[in-house]
Every structure is written in structure tokens, then in C-alpha cells.
Amino acid sequence: MKILVTNDDGILSEGLWILARELKNIAEVTVVAPDRELSAIGTAVTLRQPLRIQKVRPLVPKVEAYSIDGTPSDSVILALGKLVRDRVDMVVSGINQGSNLGEDVYISGTVSAALQGYLRGFPAIAISAPYENKQSPGIAAGVAAILAKKIGDTSLPTRLFLNVNMPDLPLAEITGVKITRLASESHLNTVEEGNRGRQKYYWLVRQRISETTDSGTDVWAIERGNISITPLYFNRADRPPHHMLNSLCSDILQQLHNR
Ligand code: MN
């Protein structure tokens, strides 16, 4: 199996290499990622200027790595269109530093990078973790490897695009794995105003609304200590059947404990 690994936190981010190291155990890994952090860049694609690719020294041995002076979406488009064409079976984006829950997915560079893989017919996983808990990125990478292995071993009846989030807990305290839907009205967006001399300035402030009672959503699952796996799709034909999602996700927690 061949996996393209990317992110929106940039080629030097810790989570990218935690993910690459873990996936290398089950697949041939190529890393193609932006040369700097571009979180919340959404689906932005660079069409009005040329892009440069630089081969970089990998932080994990035996991984081919490239940085792009463009966006997360650019990285995947370039990788699949040129760099590693015919050498990819799956796209995995992460481990993002910070959750991507509910309406986050519409501005997330992490999810958007995976989206470009999905749009080109590849199984795609976006995976995010809160880094407050030191174990979270490592557990997330384990989840990515378990999912990738299962997806690789299965012939999927549909295209697959998963948004995975970790609770802010050590492994022993994670309660389960839930297949969820995106929470709506998940965030409060406000504008704060300030003054610097006569010049006014503005901060866009974004806060997640916790304490959701909307059961079955990603926010709901995370708040109850679960790993959340949200299938994303753009038409009904691409909606993964529930039994398939169940078989992908059923024993993840057990496998994590057995590692
Ligand atoms: Mn990010």
C-alpha cells in the first residue's frame, strides 16, 4: 500500500512526522506538505502564480518528502497530478494540532487537503487531535494506521472520506469510538474591536460551543470521551453503508490497547 501524507501545519510540524512514522509500519509513505503553517486556509488553491516543489530531508528514515510553497490543497493536487502519480492508494492528512469539529471542516486546511484526495477517487482521512494531552497525537497516528490498514485490506463499495478527531484524554480514559455526523452551529463567531492610536483593528474570534445535547454529532462524541469518526460525502451514492463503517471502526479501541 502507498500512502500520501500531508497536513496544513507545515512540513516541519510534529504531528505530520508522528503520522508518517506510524504509517510507515504498514505502507510506503510519501510526504508532500506546505512549507509553512496554513491552518484555517480552507480549500484555497493557487491558480495565479507558479508553485515550487522542494525535496526535503525527511524527519523519519525511508520516507520521501517534499515541501510546496502553496496551500494544503495545492500539495495534494501537485502530489497526485505530478510528483507521485500512480504511486498513491490513499491520502491521509494530519495529525492536525487542534480539533476539526462541526463547522471547522469548512475552513480547515487539514480536511481540505484530504478532500482533494477524495475528489480524485482516493480513500481519504483527515485526522486531528488536541495537543494539550501529550499522548493524543500518538494515539491519533495509531488510529490512522489501523483505519488505513483496514481500508487497504477491504474492497470498498463506495468512495470514503473520513474526518477523525481525538478526545483530550489518555488512552486508558477513552470511552469508545463513535461514527458521527458533523455538529451544526458548533461555533460562535464574533468580531472584537481594538484601537492602536487612531487606527482601528479587528480580531475574528472563533469559539467552539460545548455542552451540546445534539446526540450523534462529532462534538457530542468528543465531549463524552470518544474518538469521533465522521464520514463526509457529497452525494448519496458516496454515502458509506453503516455496516461498512461499523466494521472499519468496531475494534479500533481494542487494537489501540493491544499495541
Ligand atoms: Mn492546522
Side-chain angles (χ1 to χ4, degrees):
M1 184 164 47
K2 291 161 187 147
I3 300 181
L4 172 65
V5 170
T6 189
N7 76 350
D8 76 353
D9 293 336
I11 190 80
L12 291 173
S13 89
E14 184 191 5
L16 179 76
W17 292 101
I18 292 173
L19 178 62
R21 176 169 286 130
E22 192 66 48
L23 292 177
K24 207 193 67 174
N25 295 329
I26 57 149
E28 191 183 306
V29 171
T30 308
V31 170
V32 184
D35 60 5
R36 71 213 107 112
E37 205 221 314
L38 287 168
S39 292
I41 196 79
T43 57
V45 174
T46 305
L47 297 178
R48 291 188 179 79
Q49 62 189 63
L51 291 166
R52 275 163 303 203
I53 298 170
Q54 189 160 18
K55 189 159 195 196
V56 297
R57 199 165 64 87
L59 301 186
V60 169
K62 293 178 193 152
V63 168
E64 209 173 293
Y66 302 87
S67 74
I68 306 291
D69 61 346
T71 67
S73 295
D74 293 340
S75 301
V76 174
I77 295 169
L78 258 178
L80 298 178
K82 190 80 187 174
L83 262 179
V84 284
R85 198 164 44 181
D86 311 325
R87 285 196 285 141
V88 174
D89 301 308
M90 192 181 307
V91 177
V92 184
S93 179
I95 308 293
N96 187 59
Q97 179 167 358
S99 303
N100 276 309
L101 295 162
E103 290 158 4
D104 284 336
V105 304
Y106 304 115
I107 61 168
S108 164
T110 306
V111 177
S112 297
L115 168 66
Q116 292 300 329
Y118 168 75
L119 292 175
R120 284 160 182 74
F122 295 94
I125 303 171
I127 184 155
S128 308
Y131 279 38
E132 285 79 13
N133 186 297
K134 291 257 185 304
Q135 280 190 27
S136 283
I139 304 168
V143 172
I146 293 165
L147 278 173
K149 176 101 177 49
K150 283 197 183 195
I151 292 166
D153 291 345
T154 320
S155 59
L156 299 172
T158 59
R159 303 207 294 175
L160 192 64
F161 180 12
L162 301 177
N163 185 42
V164 182
N165 278 278
M166 306 300 298
D168 189 9
L169 294 171
L171 181 56
E173 290 171 36
I174 294 176
T175 52
V177 179
K178 290 270 188 269
I179 297 157
T180 58
R181 63 179 193 282
L182 295 178
S184 55
E185 296 171 29
S186 61
H187 288 73
L188 202 61
N189 290 285
T190 50
V191 179
E192 281 184 7
E193 196 176 300
N195 291 293
R196 188 173 287 139
R198 276 196 208 152
Q199 180 72 50
K200 276 194 171 169
Y201 63 87
Y202 303 90
W203 281 104
L204 307 187
V205 181
R206 202 173 148 72
Q207 281 174 295
R208 194 165 93 215
I209 300 166
S210 292
E211 312 293 322
T212 180
T213 50
D214 199 1
S215 73
T217 65
D218 50 0
V219 174
W220 173 87
I222 289 291
E223 282 175 359
R224 279 151 192 81
N226 295 286
I227 297 169
S228 166
I229 301 183
T230 313
L232 303 176
Y233 47 88
F234 293 96
N235 58 63
R236 280 181 94 78
D238 272 2
R239 184 177 177 168
H242 219 265
H243 65 85
M244 180 186 108
L245 292 169
N246 272 334
S247 75
L248 279 179
C249 305
S250 56
D251 63 344
I252 287 178
L253 199 54
Q254 197 184 337
Q255 284 202 47
L256 285 171
H257 281 290
N258 292 343
R259 289 150 65 86

